[in-house]
Amino acid sequence: MTNDPAEQAILTTLAARGPHKSICPTEAARTLAGNPADDSWRKSLAPVKLAAQRLARAGVIEILRKGKPISPDVLHGVLRLRLKQED
């Protein structure tokens, strides 16, 4: 397990969702921020996206756009995150 809080938030949220399921980066950002009732979680979105890039490069997760894995170097548009799928 990683010591990075943003990476932990992604992995914890994915584990709670279940195998083969994806999450929106905003869900991990809310987890990282402690699930506040207001929009203060938004400041956690940038660290979550950076953590997602690191985890994708390490082969732990996949970053999806329209259901298909994309390069972690191109983060724009509507994204989803899921644990790396075995071939």
Side-chain angles (χ1 to χ4, degrees), residues 50-63 70-72 84:
L50 291 172
Q53 287 177 307
R54 288 191 302 273
L55 289 169
R57 287 184 185 118
V60 177
I61 69 166
E62 295 176 311
I63 300 172
I70 63 167
S71 168
K84 178 85 171 161

Side-chain angles (χ1 to χ4, degrees), residues 59-87:
V60 177
I61 69 166
E62 295 176 311
I63 300 172
L64 309 171
R65 184 179 307 119
K66 296 184 181 181
K68 297 187 181 350
I70 63 167
S71 168
D73 298 322
V74 186
L75 292 188
H76 66 277
V78 178
L79 305 174
R80 303 282 297 174
L81 309 175
R82 75 174 174 205
L83 291 173
K84 178 85 171 161
Q85 302 294 300
E86 298 297 324
D87 294 331

Side-chain angles (χ1 to χ4, degrees), residues 25-65:
T26 61
E27 294 174 72
R30 290 174 198 266
T31 298
L32 180 60
N35 293 306
D38 59 10
D39 285 347
S40 63
W41 61 268
R42 291 183 182 273
K43 65 183 175 207
S44 298
L45 193 53
V48 164
K49 286 184 176 182
L50 291 172
Q53 287 177 307
R54 288 191 302 273
L55 289 169
R57 287 184 185 118
V60 177
I61 69 166
E62 295 176 311
I63 300 172
L64 309 171
R65 184 179 307 119

